Amino acid sequence: MSATALAAGLGLRNPDYASKTAFTTTVLPLAADGSAVAQAEAYFESFSPTLVIATEKIGPNAEGIAHMSSGTPAAASRARAEHIFDLAAARGIPSIGIGDNGNEIGFGRIEGAVKKWKPGGERLATRVATDVLFPANVSNWGAYGVIAALSILLGRTDLLHDVETERRMIEACVATHAVDGSTGRHILAVDGTPLAMQQAVVTMLAGIVRNAQIKGYKRPF
Amino acid sequence: MSATALAAGLGLRNPDYASKTAFTTTVLPLAADGSAVAQAEAYFESFSPTLVIATEKIGPNAEGIAHMSSGTPAAASRARAEHIFDLAAARGIPSIGIGDNGNEIGFGRIEGAVKKWKPGGERLATRVATDVLFPANVSNWGAYGVIAALSILLGRTDLLHDVETERRMIEACVATHAVDGSTGRHILAVDGTPLAMQQAVVTMLAGIVRNAQIKGYKRPF
């Protein structure tokens, strides 16, 4: 996570510095057991978040069991991120979920659809809903789409990363032993789609952001 | 048309040679008046087509008037391609239409929807239907999608062009004084989207075609 964030151009700083400095971030731990509840409360106390976002973060089903997209139970070492989102919901703090299989935090918003349509959905559908859910073919692409939308809303061209940065991010991620989600291989691919396809998505979004900033031109025919 | 076809890697040959040789083609004239009817019949007589395809070829509305996507009447010099498709329909020859605005041959298949949803649709909706219609954001992309689908159905990797060829095609097209459809400018852009976005679409499709040829691998988690 830290390596990929740095490759994305986000400086890794302590929470106090990061909270005051654009394009920096903090990576913090979250427990894999019930102590994550108190940890979530402490984080909210320290940082007073105005929005919480989960990207492809696995969430438990109604019985409290979390699953991989294949239907296999998730590792016991899984950080209990659902406590962040349960707390946000209880306190009325806005939340966004981005995912690509139905087992990730946010899909509780359409739990019935996941159970109906996703193979193994009855088991893996998460109970954890967010205010807004972005289902995507690849979760990363959903996150990039959110950044592109934000870029257009704010009229900014410095938020979305570029294709060379995308390459650095995937390389950094794989260099820390992460695997491609579809093949389990240590290659420059995301959910079975090669690096060039990640860069193609970034290029498409960059084109949309760029075109949104062109005003008033009309073709003469 | 000839320059772009050659840049796409299609040799320009006479009809007899082209009909027998893969990756070659013929560019033939079609009249802008009623004589196109007899011309279409002569072409069918000579070539016995088993399929006809139109990509972003403007077709007339029910009153016989063809329009640009902006609602402006089309130039009088427009080739009357509708006669090719009228003849194919009369003879039961399969037809495909690809377009991006509702005024192109094929959209007669959903004429009511064009009239209802497209600005100026009442005027510009074409009467000319094809058996299959591929509406696309950009007509070129629809055509590339058809090639990608064909590649998967046939298990072939040599049908879809690559990103360098895409660049050559757009360059060749603009060099013959064609303009970008959205801005009317002589730039490397298609319907307002830059060359890099065309290449991104080709890359996405190539990735899909490639993945369709990977069989039997299953991730271990």
Side-chain angles (χ1 to χ4, degrees):
Chain A
M1 177 67 83
S2 296
T4 307
L6 182 56
L10 300 177
L12 298 167
R13 298 290 186 271
N14 65 51
D16 183 57
Y17 186 99
S19 69
K20 297 171 183 153
T21 313
F23 300 109
T24 68
T25 192
T26 284
V27 178
L28 296 171
L30 191 64
D33 58 25
S35 68
V37 174
Q39 215 174 0
E41 282 169 357
Y43 284 148
F44 275 53
E45 183 70 26
S46 299
F47 307 129
S48 306
T50 54
L51 174 71
V52 291
I53 305 183
T55 303
E56 203 167 23
K57 201 74 190 162
I58 292 176
N61 64 15
E63 287 74 46
I65 315 293
H67 294 84
M68 310 294 282
S69 63
S70 57
T72 308
S77 59
R78 178 185 69 83
R80 298 309 194 254
E82 60 268 29
H83 297 309
I84 298 280
F85 288 80
D86 289 346
L87 196 58
R91 297 191 180 178
I93 296 168
S95 57
I96 292 175
I98 302 167
D100 57 30
N101 263 297
N103 57 326
E104 304 103 333
I105 285 172
F107 272 96
R109 173 66 45 209
I110 55 168
E111 194 177 350
V114 175
K115 288 184 174 176
K116 183 172 179 188
W117 298 107
K118 169 73 185 174
E122 279 288 343
R123 184 170 64 239
L124 64 75
T126 183
R127 67 157 179 82
V128 186
T130 48
D131 295 325
V132 177
L133 166 69
F134 291 100
N137 279 76
V138 173
S139 297
N140 294 7
W141 303 355
Y144 302 163
V146 170
I147 297 169
L150 204 58
S151 300
I152 292 172
L153 287 171
L154 300 176
R156 287 181 65 166
T157 56
D158 59 343
L159 299 182
L160 188 67
H161 64 298
D162 60 18
V163 297
E164 276 304 301
T165 304
E166 176 70 22
R167 179 185 58 72
R168 288 183 68 209
M169 289 162 62
I170 307 296
E171 286 185 358
C173 191
V174 173
T176 60
H177 305 277
V179 297
D180 168 32
S182 284
T183 64
R185 293 174 61 189
H186 298 267
I187 54 178
L188 299 185
V190 179
D191 291 350
T193 63
L195 172 60
M197 282 180 78
Q198 320 315 309
Q199 295 177 309
V201 169
V202 171
T203 298
M204 297 290 286
L205 292 170
I208 293 168
V209 171
R210 167 194 171 278
N211 276 5
Q213 279 147 7
I214 300 173
K215 308 285 185 198
Y217 188 86
K218 198 172 173 302
R219 76 178 194 184
F221 56 91
Chain B
M1 177 67 83
S2 296
T4 307
L6 182 56
L10 300 176
L12 299 167
R13 298 290 186 270
N14 64 52
D16 183 57
Y17 186 99
S19 68
K20 297 171 183 154
T21 313
F23 301 109
T24 68
T25 192
T26 284
V27 178
L28 296 171
L30 191 64
D33 59 26
S35 69
V37 174
Q39 214 174 2
E41 282 169 357
Y43 284 148
F44 275 53
E45 183 69 26
S46 299
F47 306 129
S48 306
T50 54
L51 174 71
V52 292
I53 305 182
T55 303
E56 203 167 23
K57 201 75 190 160
I58 292 176
N61 63 15
E63 287 74 46
I65 314 293
H67 294 84
M68 310 294 283
S69 63
S70 57
T72 308
S77 60
R78 178 185 69 82
R80 298 309 195 253
E82 60 268 28
H83 297 308
I84 298 280
F85 289 80
D86 289 346
L87 196 57
R91 298 192 180 177
I93 296 168
S95 57
I96 292 175
I98 302 166
D100 57 28
N101 263 297
N103 57 327
E104 303 103 334
I105 285 172
F107 273 96
R109 173 66 46 210
I110 55 168
E111 194 176 351
V114 174
K115 288 184 173 175
K116 182 173 179 188
W117 297 107
K118 169 73 185 174
E122 279 288 344
R123 183 169 66 239
L124 64 75
T126 182
R127 67 158 178 82
V128 186
T130 48
D131 296 325
V132 177
L133 166 70
F134 291 100
N137 279 75
V138 172
S139 297
N140 294 6
W141 303 355
Y144 302 163
V146 170
I147 298 169
L150 204 58
S151 300
I152 292 172
L153 288 171
L154 299 176
R156 287 181 65 166
T157 56
D158 59 343
L159 299 182
L160 188 67
H161 64 298
D162 59 18
V163 297
E164 276 304 301
T165 304
E166 177 70 23
R167 179 185 58 72
R168 288 183 68 209
M169 289 162 62
I170 307 296
E171 285 185 358
C173 191
V174 173
T176 60
H177 306 277
V179 297
D180 168 32
S182 283
T183 63
R185 293 174 61 189
H186 298 266
I187 54 178
L188 299 185
V190 179
D191 291 350
T193 63
L195 172 60
M197 282 179 78
Q198 320 315 308
Q199 295 177 310
V201 169
V202 172
T203 297
M204 297 290 286
L205 291 170
I208 293 168
V209 171
R210 167 194 170 279
N211 275 5
Q213 279 147 6
I214 300 174
K215 309 285 184 198
Y217 188 86
K218 198 173 173 303
R219 76 178 195 184
F221 56 91

